[in-house]
Amino acid sequence: MEAYDLIQQPEGKMSKIIVSDADMALHKRYHQELVFNYSEYPTKDHWSFDLKSVDFKEAMRDWIPANPEEKIFFYVHIPFCEELCYFCTCSKYITKDYSRVSKYLESLHTEINLLDDFLKENKIALNVGTVFFGGGSPTILSETDLEGLVTRIRKVFDWSSVEFFTVESDPRRVDEKRLIFNHEVCGANRISFGMQDLDPEVQRRVNRIQPKSLFSEILTDKVRSYYKEIAFDLLIGQPGQTVETMEKTCDGIIELKPTLVQLSLMAYKPWIAKHQMRMLAEGPLPDFFERKELLAIIHDKLQQAGYVRTGFECYSLPESPMTKAFEAGTAHYGASGHQPGGRVNFLGIGSSSMSNFGQDYYFQNFYDLDAYAKSLEMGQFATFRGMKLSQDDKIRQHATQQIRSYFVLDFENFKENFDINFETYFKNEIELLKSFKNDGLLTFLPEKIVLTEIGRDFVQNIMNVFDVYDPPNASVRDRLEVIQAAKEKQRLVQEKINN
């Protein structure tokens, strides 16, 4: 997941207006062509390319032993898919040649061995609460390879503390038997499906054909009994999406009854993924305002069906672990979306995977498979950039997370966590937030700032107020220049190790 979205503004109208004129005026006033998701702060384009394997090791020595009670989210990246979805900007490779997957698994096992040896040599124990296989598509792995990978990882840390084990699943590549295998043999107890949309025409235009009946066939009673969370991803902004098609998609989702629905706004970034331009072959994408109409339909439909809004882009059933975490104040937003279990401390393996330790460190592995493999062959972790956060970074990161996860800024929370007076520390930001207050997007209470119901749709704008690297007054051109400069540095670093 990238940390920013470019909102395309083509011409084109939808057939039904369900957002009020007043709301549309707000959306027009606060519209930005380049917005940030803040799955991390500062965003990756501001991380240093000087931080390498040695810094990653030092961070693990520093942070993990000092925080033994903090749960770790152990992420495994499988960067392969058999077919290209035109909307996708994930780090992935399209192949039907399984030998490429096998070669990658050799490097992945090398990384696991390197990590295991390092932890044992330094007497470091990982307190892992969540294991997550993402991609790409982890379901490209054969049963034998998935079982072998899980078996090896189980030897790295005490698996008894793992509460959630997710395998992202492509519904076109699994059946009931495979999902049962993933649970009974590998221990998976949570599924995340890239559902994206149920409309046949939308699916055709993005090259991802997966009818609703496919989900009905694989989500049998036995499968549902094995998995404590069944999550659907729903992508907003795809070609062909209209108010009418979204109403039907929501009806289908409600009928299929996933416990969790994760929304995301489609990031249109053809300078990264040229194949996205194929989505424009038959007409424009939904524009910024039309996306808001789609979101309004989703909000209304899902809430009427009993789903609870448990984050900016998250709906879950009352019995879902996510709802319970949201109510308990232990939900968190990060690179893998909204997750239960408190602050997400990532330890990622695989190409492009990201690690973060508390509010102190960020690191990322090489995207390029050759650079990733060569680093490991040299006995080094595949780290190519990272960041050690300043105290100000930590405070602002906390602010973005509180806004995105809970729609509130509690002054006492900042006093307890950072020993600061919120109103003094963020004096300038509070001045900027007054325009949001005047427009009914925020409510100022004596000890907190709370987002209103309509304000929740402006989370990205409100979070941006606290960003000193890409502040609200930065132009789109300025932001794109930062992004492109980071891409060029990344290219040079990968080129250096490959040569």
Side-chain angles (χ1 to χ4, degrees), residues 1-2 77 87-93 135-136 272-273 275 352 367:
M1 179 184 294
E2 291 289 349
H77 191 65
F87 56 74
C88 187
T89 58
C90 295
S91 174
K92 81 286 180 188
Y93 296 85
I272 290 175
H275 58 262
S352 78
Y367 287 91

Side-chain angles (χ1 to χ4, degrees), residues 104-386:
Y104 174 77
L105 286 175
E106 292 177 7
S107 296
L108 191 58
H109 277 275
T110 298
E111 185 177 16
I112 295 169
N113 293 339
L114 191 63
L115 176 64
D116 197 14
D117 290 344
F118 172 82
L119 296 173
K120 286 182 170 61
E121 288 169 7
N122 290 273
K123 296 181 173 56
I124 297 173
L126 298 181
N127 182 15
V128 176
T130 299
V131 176
F132 194 105
F133 279 44
S137 178
T139 46
I140 198 171
L141 299 180
S142 67
E143 290 184 356
T144 300
D145 283 337
L146 178 61
E147 181 183 4
L149 189 55
V150 172
T151 298
R152 178 64 188 93
I153 292 172
R154 282 178 181 270
K155 297 176 182 178
V156 178
F157 51 81
D158 180 4
W159 198 276
S160 65
S161 298
V162 174
E163 184 178 3
F164 300 103
F165 174 22
T166 302
V167 177
E168 280 188 351
S169 299
D170 184 338
R172 302 167 297 176
R173 306 289 179 252
V174 296
D175 54 18
E176 180 195 32
K177 176 177 173 291
R178 178 61 188 267
L179 295 178
I180 291 172
F181 172 87
N182 288 356
H183 171 79
E184 291 184 338
V185 177
C186 299
N189 61 8
R190 186 181 182 280
I191 320 172
S192 178
F193 286 111
M195 183 275 300
Q196 311 306 358
D197 196 292
L198 293 175
D199 183 77
E201 182 65 10
V202 173
Q203 292 180 355
R204 180 188 67 80
R205 290 181 64 177
V206 298
N207 196 40
R208 190 181 178 99
I209 306 298
Q210 46 184 29
K212 174 175 166 284
S213 60
L214 192 60
F215 293 93
S216 300
E217 291 169 5
I218 59 180
L219 289 175
T220 62
D221 290 342
K222 188 171 185 179
V223 168
R224 290 179 185 270
S225 72
Y226 280 161
Y227 290 88
K228 63 174 68 177
E229 189 88 280
I230 297 173
F232 279 11
D233 294 335
L234 175 55
L235 187 61
I236 316 303
Q238 298 179 74
Q241 285 181 333
T242 66
V243 166
E244 289 79 13
T245 67
M246 188 55 71
E247 287 177 336
K248 293 177 182 178
T249 286
C250 287
D251 289 339
I253 292 171
I254 292 164
E255 185 179 335
L256 291 168
K257 204 174 180 179
T259 58
L260 176 67
V261 182
Q262 297 262 30
L263 315 181
S264 60
L265 299 173
M266 191 188 77
Y268 183 70
K269 297 179 286 191
W271 69 88
I272 290 175
K274 291 182 180 180
H275 58 262
Q276 284 194 320
M277 290 188 286
R278 300 183 191 182
M279 293 188 293
L280 305 179
E282 300 174 44
L285 304 177
D287 66 22
F288 176 81
F289 304 108
E290 292 166 339
R291 288 182 180 209
K292 295 301 180 183
E293 293 182 325
L294 297 174
L295 284 169
I297 284 289
I298 295 165
H299 295 334
D300 181 62
K301 283 275 190 179
L302 294 185
Q303 288 182 109
Q304 288 209 23
Y307 284 85
V308 180
R309 190 172 186 181
T310 48
F312 171 53
E313 299 170 323
C314 188
Y315 280 92
S316 51
L317 290 173
E319 66 271 19
S320 163
M322 179 57 67
T323 303
K324 296 173 183 177
F326 179 78
E327 292 172 347
T330 57
H332 187 82
Y333 177 79
S336 60
H338 292 276
Q339 297 290 336
R343 170 164 188 86
V344 180
N345 307 296
F346 268 80
L347 203 168
I349 61 172
S351 65
S352 78
S353 65
M354 189 183 80
S355 297
N356 77 272
F357 301 125
Q359 294 173 315
D360 300 300
Y361 298 98
Y362 283 124
F363 295 96
Q364 188 178 24
N365 280 355
F366 281 108
Y367 287 91
D368 180 73
L369 294 186
D370 288 336
Y372 168 73
K374 287 185 178 180
S375 291
L376 296 168
E377 289 168 6
M378 294 187 291
Q380 300 175 359
F381 287 106
T383 307
F384 83 100
R385 66 177 167 184

Side-chain angles (χ1 to χ4, degrees), residues 309-312 322 326 329-334 337-339 398-408 459 463:
R309 190 172 186 181
T310 48
F312 171 53
M322 179 57 67
F326 179 78
T330 57
H332 187 82
Y333 177 79
H338 292 276
Q339 297 290 336
H398 189 71
T400 63
Q401 288 300 326
Q402 293 302 297
I403 295 168
R404 183 134 195 172
S405 297
Y406 302 109
F407 310 119
V408 64
V459 157
M463 289 189 295

